[in-house]
Amino acid sequence: MAVIFAARRSGADQPGYAAAAAAMDALAAQQPGFCCIDAARGSDGFGITVSYWADEASAVAWRAQPDHAAAREAGRGRWYDAYDLHVARMSRSYAWRRREGEQA
């Protein structure tokens, strides 16, 4: 499962946001069924975070995790102007990496 979180940051409380984001990344990694997380944010405050889960039950359990729920409420109150959340079932995935020292 892929949980896709696309958000526009409000710009408020940058240190609080950074601390909460780091804490949520670490907490998610400890949850049963967690696979990995990818994130990117532009200078305009728009960002996308995708967390990957072994199954739907794991993703639902993450949503219900009390510390994550508290961070979600803090985000609505301080850190985000808007967000969209999408949950998708993945049918396949692959990766490619340039070899070390290989020229483009």
Side-chain angles (χ1 to χ4, degrees):
M1 299 300 296
V3 177
I4 305 155
F5 181 73
R8 173 127 352 250
R9 288 277 321 280
S10 67
D13 186 23
Q14 296 280 2
Y17 175 81
M24 290 302 102
D25 286 354
L27 182 61
Q30 297 171 7
Q31 302 308 300
F34 175 83
C35 297
C36 64
I37 195 166
D38 293 319
R41 181 162 308 281
S43 60
D44 64 353
F46 179 77
I48 297 176
T49 300
V50 182
S51 59
Y52 301 92
W53 301 88
D55 52 34
E56 188 167 1
S58 299
V60 169
W62 171 239
R63 184 183 192 289
Q65 202 285 342
D67 293 333
H68 180 226
R72 185 170 53 248
E73 288 306 311
R76 289 176 180 160
R78 287 186 295 228
W79 301 317
Y80 297 112
D81 286 333
Y83 67 77
D84 295 303
L85 186 110
H86 312 282
V87 179
R89 197 174 310 275
M90 294 175 36
S91 60
R92 64 187 158 121
S93 177
Y94 62 92
W96 176 87
R97 308 255 184 314
R98 186 175 311 282
R99 291 186 181 147
E100 189 174 323
E102 184 181 0
Q103 296 288 322

